Every structure is written in C-alpha cells, then in structure tokens.
Coordinates of all heavy atoms in Angstrom, one line a residue:
M263 N 52.6 -40.0 -23.9 CA 52.2 -38.6 -23.7 C 52.7 -37.7 -24.7 O 53.8 -37.9 -25.2 CB 52.7 -38.2 -22.3 CG 51.8 -38.7 -21.2 SD 52.1 -37.8 -19.6 CE 53.7 -38.5 -19.2
K264 N 51.9 -36.8 -25.1 CA 52.3 -35.8 -26.1 C 52.4 -34.4 -25.6 O 51.6 -34.0 -24.7 CB 51.3 -35.9 -27.2 CG 51.3 -37.1 -28.0 CD 50.2 -37.1 -29.0 CE 50.0 -38.5 -29.6 NZ 48.6 -38.7 -30.1
K265 N 53.3 -33.7 -26.1 CA 53.4 -32.2 -25.8 C 52.2 -31.6 -26.5 O 51.8 -31.9 -27.6 CB 54.7 -31.6 -26.3 CG 55.8 -32.0 -25.4 CD 56.2 -30.8 -24.5 CE 57.0 -31.2 -23.3 NZ 58.3 -31.0 -23.2
A266 N 51.6 -30.6 -25.8 CA 50.4 -30.0 -26.3 C 50.6 -28.9 -27.3 O 49.7 -28.2 -27.7 CB 49.5 -29.6 -25.2
G267 N 51.8 -28.6 -27.6 CA 52.1 -27.5 -28.6 C 52.7 -26.3 -27.9 O 52.6 -26.1 -26.7
N268 N 53.4 -25.5 -28.7 CA 54.1 -24.4 -28.1 C 53.3 -23.4 -27.4 O 53.8 -22.7 -26.5 CB 54.9 -23.7 -29.3 CG 55.9 -24.7 -29.9 OD1 56.4 -25.6 -29.3 ND2 56.2 -24.4 -31.2
L269 N 52.1 -23.2 -27.8 CA 51.3 -22.1 -27.2 C 50.9 -22.4 -25.8 O 50.4 -21.6 -25.1 CB 50.0 -21.9 -28.1 CG 50.3 -21.3 -29.5 CD1 49.0 -21.3 -30.3 CD2 50.9 -19.9 -29.3
N270 N 50.9 -23.7 -25.4 CA 50.4 -24.1 -24.1 C 51.5 -24.5 -23.1 O 51.2 -25.1 -22.1 CB 49.4 -25.3 -24.3 CG 48.3 -24.9 -25.2 OD1 47.6 -23.9 -24.9 ND2 48.0 -25.7 -26.2
K271 N 52.7 -24.0 -23.3 CA 53.7 -24.3 -22.4 C 53.4 -24.0 -21.0 O 53.2 -22.8 -20.7 CB 55.0 -23.6 -22.8 CG 56.0 -24.6 -23.5 CD 57.3 -23.8 -23.9 CE 57.9 -24.5 -25.1 NZ 58.8 -23.7 -25.8
G272 N 53.4 -24.9 -20.1 CA 53.2 -24.7 -18.7 C 51.8 -24.3 -18.3 O 51.5 -24.3 -17.1
G273 N 50.9 -24.0 -19.3 CA 49.6 -23.6 -18.9 C 48.6 -24.8 -19.0 O 48.9 -25.8 -19.4
D274 N 47.4 -24.5 -18.5 CA 46.3 -25.5 -18.6 C 45.3 -25.0 -19.6 O 44.1 -25.2 -19.4 CB 45.7 -25.8 -17.3 CG 46.6 -26.7 -16.4 OD1 47.5 -27.3 -17.0 OD2 46.3 -26.8 -15.2
I275 N 45.7 -24.3 -20.6 CA 44.8 -23.8 -21.7 C 44.3 -25.1 -22.4 O 45.1 -25.9 -22.9 CB 45.5 -22.9 -22.6 CG1 46.2 -21.7 -21.9 CG2 44.6 -22.4 -23.7 CD1 47.4 -21.1 -22.6
P276 N 43.0 -25.2 -22.4 CA 42.4 -26.4 -23.1 C 42.7 -26.4 -24.6 O 42.7 -25.4 -25.3 CB 41.0 -26.4 -22.8 CG 40.7 -24.9 -22.5 CD 41.9 -24.3 -22.0
I277 N 42.9 -27.6 -25.0 CA 43.1 -27.9 -26.5 C 41.7 -28.4 -26.9 O 41.1 -29.3 -26.2 CB 44.1 -28.9 -26.8 CG1 45.5 -28.3 -26.4 CG2 44.1 -29.3 -28.2 CD1 46.6 -29.3 -26.7
C278 N 41.2 -27.9 -28.0 CA 39.8 -28.3 -28.4 C 39.9 -29.2 -29.6 O 40.8 -29.0 -30.5 CB 39.0 -27.1 -28.7 SG 38.6 -26.1 -27.2
C279 N 39.0 -30.1 -29.7 CA 38.8 -30.8 -30.9 C 38.3 -29.8 -32.0 O 37.3 -29.1 -31.7 CB 37.7 -31.9 -30.7 SG 37.1 -32.7 -32.2
N280 N 38.9 -29.8 -33.1 CA 38.5 -28.8 -34.1 C 37.2 -29.1 -34.7 O 36.5 -28.2 -35.3 CB 39.6 -28.8 -35.2 CG 40.8 -28.0 -34.9 OD1 41.5 -28.3 -33.9 ND2 41.1 -26.9 -35.6
S281 N 36.8 -30.4 -34.6 CA 35.5 -30.7 -35.3 C 34.3 -30.5 -34.4 O 33.4 -29.8 -34.8 CB 35.6 -32.2 -35.7 OG 34.4 -32.5 -36.4
C282 N 34.3 -30.9 -33.1 CA 33.2 -30.8 -32.3 C 33.3 -29.7 -31.2 O 32.4 -29.4 -30.5 CB 32.8 -32.1 -31.7 SG 33.9 -32.7 -30.4
G283 N 34.5 -29.2 -31.0 CA 34.8 -28.2 -30.1 C 35.0 -28.7 -28.6 O 35.2 -27.9 -27.7
K284 N 34.9 -30.0 -28.4 CA 35.1 -30.5 -27.1 C 36.5 -30.2 -26.7 O 37.5 -30.4 -27.4 CB 34.9 -32.1 -27.2 CG 35.0 -32.8 -25.9 CD 34.7 -34.3 -26.0 CE 36.1 -35.0 -26.1 NZ 36.0 -36.4 -25.8
S285 N 36.7 -29.8 -25.4 CA 38.1 -29.6 -24.9 C 38.7 -30.9 -24.4 O 38.1 -31.7 -23.8 CB 38.1 -28.5 -23.9 OG 37.3 -28.8 -22.8
L286 N 40.0 -31.0 -24.8 CA 40.7 -32.2 -24.4 C 41.5 -31.9 -23.1 O 41.9 -30.7 -22.9 CB 41.7 -32.6 -25.5 CG 41.0 -32.8 -26.9 CD1 42.0 -32.8 -28.0 CD2 40.2 -34.1 -26.9
K287 N 41.7 -32.9 -22.3 CA 42.3 -32.7 -21.0 C 43.8 -32.4 -21.2 O 44.5 -33.1 -21.7 CB 42.2 -34.0 -20.2 CG 41.0 -34.0 -19.2 CD 40.9 -35.2 -18.4 CE 39.6 -35.9 -18.6 NZ 39.7 -37.4 -18.5
V288 N 44.2 -31.2 -20.6 CA 45.6 -30.8 -20.6 C 46.0 -30.5 -19.2 O 45.3 -29.8 -18.5 CB 45.8 -29.6 -21.5 CG1 47.3 -29.2 -21.5 CG2 45.4 -29.9 -22.9
E289 N 47.1 -31.1 -18.8 CA 47.7 -30.8 -17.5 C 49.1 -30.4 -17.7 O 49.9 -31.2 -18.2 CB 47.6 -32.0 -16.5 CG 46.3 -32.2 -15.8 CD 46.2 -33.5 -15.1 OE1 47.1 -33.8 -14.4 OE2 45.1 -34.1 -15.1
N290 N 49.5 -29.3 -17.2 CA 50.9 -28.8 -17.3 C 51.4 -28.9 -18.8 O 52.5 -29.2 -19.0 CB 51.8 -29.6 -16.4 CG 51.4 -29.4 -15.0 OD1 51.1 -28.3 -14.5 ND2 51.4 -30.5 -14.2
G291 N 50.5 -28.5 -19.7 CA 50.9 -28.5 -21.1 C 51.0 -29.9 -21.8 O 51.4 -30.0 -22.9
I292 N 50.6 -30.9 -21.0 CA 50.7 -32.3 -21.6 C 49.2 -32.7 -21.9 O 48.4 -32.6 -21.0 CB 51.3 -33.3 -20.6 CG1 52.7 -32.7 -20.1 CG2 51.4 -34.7 -21.2 CD1 53.9 -33.1 -20.9
L293 N 49.0 -33.2 -23.0 CA 47.7 -33.8 -23.4 C 47.5 -35.1 -22.7 O 48.2 -36.0 -22.9 CB 47.7 -33.9 -24.9 CG 46.4 -34.1 -25.7 CD1 45.5 -32.9 -25.3 CD2 46.7 -34.1 -27.2
K294 N 46.4 -35.1 -21.8 CA 46.2 -36.3 -21.0 C 45.1 -37.2 -21.6 O 44.7 -38.2 -21.0 CB 45.8 -35.9 -19.6 CG 46.9 -35.3 -18.8 CD 47.8 -36.3 -18.3 CE 48.9 -35.7 -17.5 NZ 49.1 -36.1 -16.2
E295 N 44.6 -36.8 -22.7 CA 43.5 -37.6 -23.4 C 44.0 -37.8 -24.8 O 44.5 -36.9 -25.4 CB 42.2 -36.7 -23.4 CG 41.0 -37.5 -23.9 CD 39.8 -36.6 -23.7 OE1 39.8 -35.6 -22.9 OE2 38.8 -36.8 -24.4
D296 N 44.0 -39.0 -25.3 CA 44.5 -39.2 -26.6 C 43.7 -38.6 -27.7 O 42.4 -38.7 -27.6 CB 44.7 -40.7 -26.8 CG 45.9 -41.0 -27.7 OD1 46.6 -40.0 -28.1 OD2 46.2 -42.2 -28.0
A297 N 44.3 -38.0 -28.6 CA 43.6 -37.3 -29.7 C 44.4 -37.4 -30.9 O 45.6 -37.7 -30.9 CB 43.3 -35.9 -29.3
F298 N 43.7 -37.2 -32.0 CA 44.4 -37.2 -33.3 C 45.0 -35.8 -33.6 O 44.2 -34.8 -33.5 CB 43.4 -37.6 -34.4 CG 44.1 -37.6 -35.8 CD1 44.9 -38.7 -36.2 CD2 43.8 -36.6 -36.7 CE1 45.4 -38.7 -37.4 CE2 44.4 -36.6 -37.9 CZ 45.2 -37.6 -38.3
E299 N 46.2 -35.7 -33.8 CA 46.9 -34.4 -34.0 C 47.4 -34.4 -35.4 O 48.2 -35.3 -35.8 CB 48.1 -34.2 -33.1 CG 47.8 -33.5 -31.8 CD 49.1 -33.2 -31.1 OE1 49.7 -34.1 -30.6 OE2 49.5 -32.0 -31.1
A300 N 47.1 -33.4 -36.2 CA 47.7 -33.4 -37.6 C 48.3 -32.1 -37.8 O 47.8 -31.0 -37.5 CB 46.6 -33.6 -38.6
T301 N 49.5 -32.1 -38.4 CA 50.2 -30.9 -38.9 C 50.6 -31.2 -40.3 O 51.1 -32.2 -40.6 CB 51.4 -30.7 -38.0 OG1 51.0 -30.6 -36.7 CG2 52.1 -29.4 -38.5
K302 N 50.3 -30.2 -41.2 CA 50.7 -30.4 -42.6 C 51.3 -29.1 -43.1 O 50.7 -28.0 -43.0 CB 49.4 -30.7 -43.4 CG 49.6 -30.7 -44.9 CD 50.6 -31.7 -45.4 CE 50.8 -31.6 -46.9 NZ 52.0 -32.4 -47.3
E303 N 52.5 -29.2 -43.5 CA 53.2 -28.1 -44.2 C 53.0 -28.3 -45.7 O 53.5 -29.2 -46.3 CB 54.7 -28.1 -43.9 CG 55.0 -27.7 -42.5 CD 56.5 -27.7 -42.3 OE1 57.3 -27.3 -43.2 OE2 56.9 -28.1 -41.2
W304 N 52.1 -27.4 -46.2 CA 51.9 -27.5 -47.7 C 53.0 -27.0 -48.5 O 53.7 -26.0 -48.1 CB 50.6 -26.7 -48.0 CG 49.4 -27.4 -47.5 CD1 48.7 -27.0 -46.3 CD2 48.7 -28.5 -48.0 NE1 47.6 -27.9 -46.1 CE2 47.6 -28.8 -47.1 CE3 48.8 -29.3 -49.1 CZ2 46.7 -29.8 -47.4 CZ3 47.9 -30.3 -49.4 CH2 46.9 -30.6 -48.5
G305 N 53.3 -27.6 -49.6 CA 54.4 -27.3 -50.4 C 54.1 -26.7 -51.7 O 53.0 -26.4 -52.0
Y306 N 55.1 -26.6 -52.5 CA 55.1 -25.9 -53.7 C 54.0 -26.3 -54.7 O 53.4 -25.6 -55.4 CB 56.5 -26.0 -54.4 CG 56.6 -25.3 -55.7 CD1 56.7 -23.9 -55.6 CD2 56.6 -25.9 -56.9 CE1 56.8 -23.2 -56.8 CE2 56.8 -25.2 -58.1 CZ 56.9 -23.8 -58.0 OH 57.0 -23.1 -59.2
F307 N 53.8 -27.6 -54.7 CA 52.8 -28.2 -55.7 C 51.4 -28.1 -55.2 O 50.5 -28.6 -55.9 CB 53.2 -29.6 -56.0 CG 54.5 -29.7 -56.7 CD1 55.6 -30.2 -56.0 CD2 54.7 -29.3 -58.0 CE1 56.9 -30.3 -56.6 CE2 55.9 -29.3 -58.6 CZ 57.0 -29.8 -57.9
S308 N 51.1 -27.4 -54.2 CA 49.7 -27.2 -53.7 C 49.4 -25.8 -53.9 O 50.2 -24.9 -54.0 CB 49.6 -27.7 -52.3 OG 50.0 -26.6 -51.4
K309 N 48.1 -25.5 -53.7 CA 47.6 -24.1 -53.8 C 47.9 -23.4 -52.4 O 47.6 -22.2 -52.3 CB 46.1 -24.1 -54.0 CG 45.7 -24.4 -55.4 CD 44.2 -24.5 -55.6 CE 43.6 -25.7 -55.0 NZ 42.2 -25.9 -55.2
R310 N 48.3 -24.2 -51.4 CA 48.5 -23.7 -50.1 C 50.0 -23.6 -49.8 O 50.4 -23.7 -48.6 CB 47.9 -24.6 -49.1 CG 46.4 -24.9 -49.3 CD 45.9 -25.8 -48.3 NE 44.6 -26.3 -48.6 CZ 43.5 -25.6 -48.4 NH1 43.5 -24.4 -47.9 NH2 42.3 -26.1 -48.7
D311 N 50.8 -23.4 -50.8 CA 52.3 -23.3 -50.6 C 52.6 -22.3 -49.5 O 52.1 -21.2 -49.4 CB 52.9 -22.8 -51.9 CG 54.5 -22.9 -51.8 OD1 55.0 -23.7 -51.0 OD2 55.1 -22.3 -52.6
M312 N 53.5 -22.8 -48.6 CA 54.0 -22.0 -47.4 C 53.0 -21.9 -46.3 O 53.3 -21.3 -45.3 CB 54.3 -20.5 -47.8 CG 55.4 -20.4 -48.9 SD 57.0 -21.0 -48.5 CE 57.6 -19.7 -47.5
E313 N 51.9 -22.6 -46.4 CA 51.0 -22.6 -45.2 C 51.2 -23.9 -44.4 O 51.5 -25.0 -44.9 CB 49.5 -22.7 -45.7 CG 49.1 -21.4 -46.3 CD 47.6 -21.4 -46.7 OE1 46.9 -22.3 -46.4 OE2 47.2 -20.5 -47.4
I314 N 51.1 -23.7 -43.1 CA 51.2 -24.9 -42.2 C 49.8 -25.0 -41.5 O 49.3 -24.1 -40.9 CB 52.3 -24.7 -41.1 CG1 53.6 -24.5 -41.8 CG2 52.3 -25.9 -40.1 CD1 54.8 -24.1 -40.8
H315 N 49.2 -26.1 -41.7 CA 47.9 -26.4 -41.1 C 48.0 -27.3 -39.9 O 48.8 -28.3 -40.0 CB 46.9 -27.0 -42.1 CG 46.5 -26.1 -43.2 ND1 45.4 -26.3 -44.0 CD2 47.1 -24.9 -43.6 CE1 45.3 -25.2 -44.8 NE2 46.3 -24.4 -44.6
H316 N 47.3 -27.1 -38.9 CA 47.3 -27.9 -37.7 C 45.9 -28.1 -37.1 O 45.2 -27.1 -37.1 CB 48.3 -27.4 -36.6 CG 48.3 -28.2 -35.4 ND1 47.6 -27.9 -34.3 CD2 48.9 -29.4 -35.2 CE1 47.8 -28.8 -33.4 NE2 48.6 -29.7 -33.9
F317 N 45.5 -29.3 -36.8 CA 44.3 -29.4 -36.1 C 44.3 -30.7 -35.2 O 45.1 -31.5 -35.4 CB 43.1 -29.5 -37.1 CG 43.1 -30.7 -38.0 CD1 42.5 -31.9 -37.7 CD2 43.7 -30.5 -39.3 CE1 42.5 -32.9 -38.6 CE2 43.7 -31.6 -40.2 CZ 43.1 -32.8 -39.8
N318 N 43.4 -30.7 -34.3 CA 43.2 -31.8 -33.4 C 41.8 -32.4 -33.5 O 40.9 -31.6 -33.7 CB 43.4 -31.4 -31.9 CG 44.6 -30.6 -31.7 OD1 45.7 -31.2 -31.9 ND2 44.5 -29.4 -31.2
L319 N 41.7 -33.7 -33.4 CA 40.4 -34.3 -33.4 C 40.3 -35.2 -32.2 O 41.2 -36.0 -31.9 CB 40.2 -35.1 -34.7 CG 40.0 -34.4 -36.0 CD1 39.9 -35.4 -37.1 CD2 38.8 -33.5 -36.0
C320 N 39.2 -35.2 -31.5 CA 39.0 -36.2 -30.4 C 38.8 -37.5 -31.1 O 38.5 -37.6 -32.3 CB 37.8 -35.8 -29.5 SG 36.2 -35.9 -30.3
E321 N 38.8 -38.6 -30.2 CA 38.7 -39.9 -30.8 C 37.4 -40.1 -31.6 O 37.4 -40.8 -32.6 CB 38.9 -40.9 -29.7 CG 39.3 -42.3 -30.2 CD 39.7 -43.3 -29.1 OE1 39.8 -42.9 -27.9 OE2 40.0 -44.4 -29.5
E322 N 36.3 -39.6 -31.0 CA 35.0 -39.8 -31.7 C 35.0 -39.1 -33.1 O 34.5 -39.7 -34.0 CB 34.0 -39.0 -30.9 CG 33.0 -39.9 -30.1 CD 32.2 -39.0 -29.1 OE1 31.3 -38.3 -29.7 OE2 32.4 -39.1 -27.9
C323 N 35.5 -37.9 -33.1 CA 35.5 -37.2 -34.4 C 36.5 -37.9 -35.4 O 36.3 -37.9 -36.6 CB 35.8 -35.8 -34.3 SG 34.5 -34.9 -33.4
Y324 N 37.6 -38.4 -34.9 CA 38.5 -39.2 -35.7 C 37.8 -40.4 -36.3 O 37.9 -40.6 -37.5 CB 39.7 -39.6 -34.9 CG 40.7 -40.5 -35.6 CD1 41.6 -39.9 -36.5 CD2 40.7 -41.9 -35.5 CE1 42.5 -40.7 -37.3 CE2 41.5 -42.7 -36.2 CZ 42.4 -42.1 -37.1 OH 43.3 -42.8 -37.8
D325 N 37.0 -41.1 -35.5 CA 36.3 -42.3 -36.0 C 35.3 -41.9 -37.1 O 35.1 -42.6 -38.1 CB 35.5 -42.9 -34.8 CG 36.4 -43.8 -34.0 OD1 37.6 -44.0 -34.4 OD2 36.0 -44.1 -32.8
K326 N 34.7 -40.7 -36.9 CA 33.7 -40.2 -37.9 C 34.4 -39.9 -39.2 O 34.0 -40.2 -40.3 CB 33.0 -38.9 -37.4 CG 31.8 -39.2 -36.6 CD 31.1 -37.9 -36.3 CE 30.6 -37.9 -34.8 NZ 30.4 -36.5 -34.4
M327 N 35.6 -39.3 -39.1 CA 36.4 -38.9 -40.2 C 36.8 -40.1 -41.0 O 36.6 -40.2 -42.2 CB 37.6 -38.0 -39.9 CG 38.4 -37.6 -41.1 SD 39.9 -36.7 -40.6 CE 41.0 -38.0 -40.1
I328 N 37.4 -41.1 -40.3 CA 37.9 -42.2 -41.0 C 36.7 -43.1 -41.5 O 36.9 -43.9 -42.5 CB 38.9 -43.1 -40.2 CG1 38.3 -43.7 -39.0 CG2 40.2 -42.2 -39.9 CD1 39.3 -44.7 -38.3
G329 N 35.6 -43.0 -40.9 CA 34.4 -43.7 -41.3 C 33.9 -43.2 -42.7 O 33.2 -43.9 -43.3
S330 N 34.3 -42.0 -43.1 CA 33.9 -41.5 -44.4 C 34.9 -41.9 -45.5 O 34.6 -41.5 -46.6 CB 33.7 -40.0 -44.3 OG 35.0 -39.4 -44.2
F331 N 36.0 -42.5 -45.1 CA 36.9 -42.9 -46.1 C 36.4 -44.1 -47.0 O 35.8 -45.0 -46.4 CB 38.3 -43.3 -45.5 CG 39.1 -42.2 -44.8 CD1 38.6 -40.9 -44.8 CD2 40.3 -42.5 -44.2 CE1 39.4 -39.9 -44.2 CE2 41.0 -41.6 -43.6 CZ 40.6 -40.2 -43.6
I332 N 36.7 -44.1 -48.2 CA 36.4 -45.2 -49.1 C 37.3 -46.3 -48.8 O 37.0 -47.5 -48.7 CB 36.4 -44.8 -50.6 CG1 35.1 -43.9 -50.8 CG2 36.3 -46.0 -51.5 CD1 35.1 -43.3 -52.2
I333 N 38.6 -46.0 -48.7 CA 39.6 -46.9 -48.4 C 40.0 -46.8 -46.9 O 40.3 -45.7 -46.5 CB 40.9 -46.7 -49.3 CG1 40.5 -46.9 -50.8 CG2 42.0 -47.6 -48.9 CD1 41.6 -46.4 -51.7
P334 N 39.8 -47.8 -46.2 CA 40.0 -47.7 -44.7 C 41.5 -47.4 -44.4 O 42.4 -47.6 -45.2 CB 39.6 -49.0 -44.1 CG 39.6 -50.0 -45.3 CD 39.4 -49.2 -46.5
V335 N 41.7 -46.8 -43.2 CA 43.0 -46.5 -42.8 C 43.8 -47.8 -42.6 O 43.2 -48.8 -42.3 CB 43.1 -45.6 -41.5 CG1 42.4 -44.3 -41.7 CG2 42.5 -46.4 -40.3
E336 N 45.1 -47.6 -42.7 CA 46.0 -48.8 -42.5 C 46.2 -48.9 -41.0 O 46.5 -47.9 -40.3 CB 47.3 -48.6 -43.2 CG 48.2 -49.8 -43.2 CD 49.6 -49.5 -43.8 OE1 49.6 -48.6 -44.7 OE2 50.5 -50.0 -43.3
V337 N 45.9 -50.0 -40.4 CA 46.0 -50.2 -39.0 C 47.1 -51.3 -38.7 O 47.0 -52.4 -39.3 CB 44.7 -50.6 -38.3 CG1 44.9 -50.9 -36.8 CG2 43.6 -49.6 -38.6
R338 N 48.0 -50.9 -37.9 CA 49.0 -51.9 -37.5 C 49.0 -52.0 -36.0 O 48.9 -51.0 -35.3 CB 50.4 -51.4 -38.0 CG 50.7 -51.9 -39.4 CD 52.1 -51.5 -39.9 NE 52.0 -50.1 -40.3 CZ 53.1 -49.4 -40.6 NH1 54.3 -50.0 -40.6 NH2 53.0 -48.1 -40.9
K339 N 49.2 -53.1 -35.5 CA 49.3 -53.3 -34.1 C 50.7 -53.2 -33.6 O 51.6 -53.7 -34.2 CB 48.8 -54.7 -33.7 CG 47.3 -54.9 -33.9 CD 46.5 -54.5 -32.7 CE 45.0 -54.8 -33.0 NZ 44.1 -54.0 -32.2
K340 N 50.9 -52.4 -32.5 CA 52.2 -52.3 -31.9 C 52.4 -53.6 -31.2 O 51.6 -54.2 -30.5 CB 52.3 -51.2 -31.0 CG 52.4 -49.9 -31.7 CD 53.0 -48.8 -30.7 CE 52.0 -48.3 -29.7 NZ 52.5 -47.1 -29.0
L341 N 53.6 -54.2 -31.3 CA 53.9 -55.4 -30.6 C 54.1 -55.2 -29.1 O 53.8 -56.0 -28.3 CB 55.2 -56.1 -31.2 CG 55.0 -56.5 -32.7 CD1 56.2 -57.1 -33.2 CD2 53.8 -57.5 -32.8
E342 N 54.6 -54.0 -28.8 CA 54.7 -53.7 -27.3 C 54.5 -52.2 -27.1 O 54.9 -51.4 -28.0 CB 56.1 -54.2 -26.8 CG 57.3 -53.7 -27.6 CD 58.6 -54.3 -27.1 OE1 59.1 -53.7 -26.1 OE2 59.0 -55.3 -27.6
A343 N 54.0 -51.9 -26.0 CA 53.8 -50.5 -25.7 C 55.1 -49.8 -25.4 O 55.9 -50.4 -24.7 CB 52.8 -50.4 -24.6
L344 N 55.3 -48.6 -25.9 CA 56.5 -47.9 -25.6 C 56.4 -47.2 -24.3 O 55.4 -46.8 -23.9 CB 56.8 -46.9 -26.7 CG 57.1 -47.6 -28.1 CD1 57.2 -46.5 -29.1 CD2 58.4 -48.4 -28.1
Ligands
ZN238 ZN1 35.5 -34.0 -31.5

C-alpha cells in the first residue's frame, strides 16, 4: 500500500491518472489501486532546475507509455511479496 500524497491526508479526494483522467481508488488517503507514481526533482543540469514534477499513471496508461519505448523497461521478479 502506498500513501497517496500529502494533499490527501485523511480524505477521499480521488487521485487521477494524469494521462487518461481516470480516478484511482483512494480510501483514507491510501491508494487502493496500484498505479505508477513518478516524482522527479530536476536539478542544475536541466532546463527545469528547482522544479519538482509529479504524476500518476493508471496501469493501462503505464502500459501504453512503456509500449512506446524503444528499449523495454527492465523487469525483475520479486522473490517474495513484502
Ligand atoms: Zn490512465
């Protein structure tokens, strides 16, 4: 389970997939549907220095995104569920 982010503490404010706008299930601030969450703090060597970007993608949109990669994502299997 993942925390849904600081803005949603205690609330049931839906988190949306940034790509398709579908809302992801949140109960008590906990994301109940697995989704791809990305946070990137851009640094000095980028044009976005000092910016923090964050977005969520539902599993479908994640599949579409990685489907457009020339080099596939590295996939490792977990030996045991945590
Ligand atoms: Zn989506």
Side-chain angles (χ1 to χ4, degrees):
M263 280 194 286
K264 288 173 192 159
K265 283 257 158 102
N268 296 333
L269 293 172
N270 296 311
K271 255 181 208 162
D274 282 348
I275 304 156
I277 292 180
C278 294
C279 167
N280 280 62
S281 181
C282 70
K284 186 180 98 162
S285 57
L286 304 166
K287 267 182 237 150
V288 178
E289 276 173 42
N290 300 317
I292 309 272
L293 197 53
K294 291 283 179 120
E295 188 174 339
D296 211 359
F298 179 79
E299 268 188 289
T301 303
K302 170 65 183 163
E303 286 183 38
W304 291 99
Y306 184 72
F307 296 106
S308 84
K309 285 177 288 186
R310 306 179 191 281
D311 190 19
M312 304 296 282
E313 288 183 12
I314 301 171
H315 290 199
H316 178 259
F317 63 88
N318 305 301
L319 291 176
C320 69
E321 200 170 356
E322 254 171 68
C323 292
Y324 176 79
D325 283 345
K326 273 186 225 161
M327 180 183 77
I328 65 170
S330 71
F331 289 0
I332 289 174
I333 298 167
V335 297
E336 188 185 328
V337 178
R338 274 180 283 173
K339 292 271 186 204
K340 283 202 283 190
L341 295 176
E342 52 186 275
L344 296 174

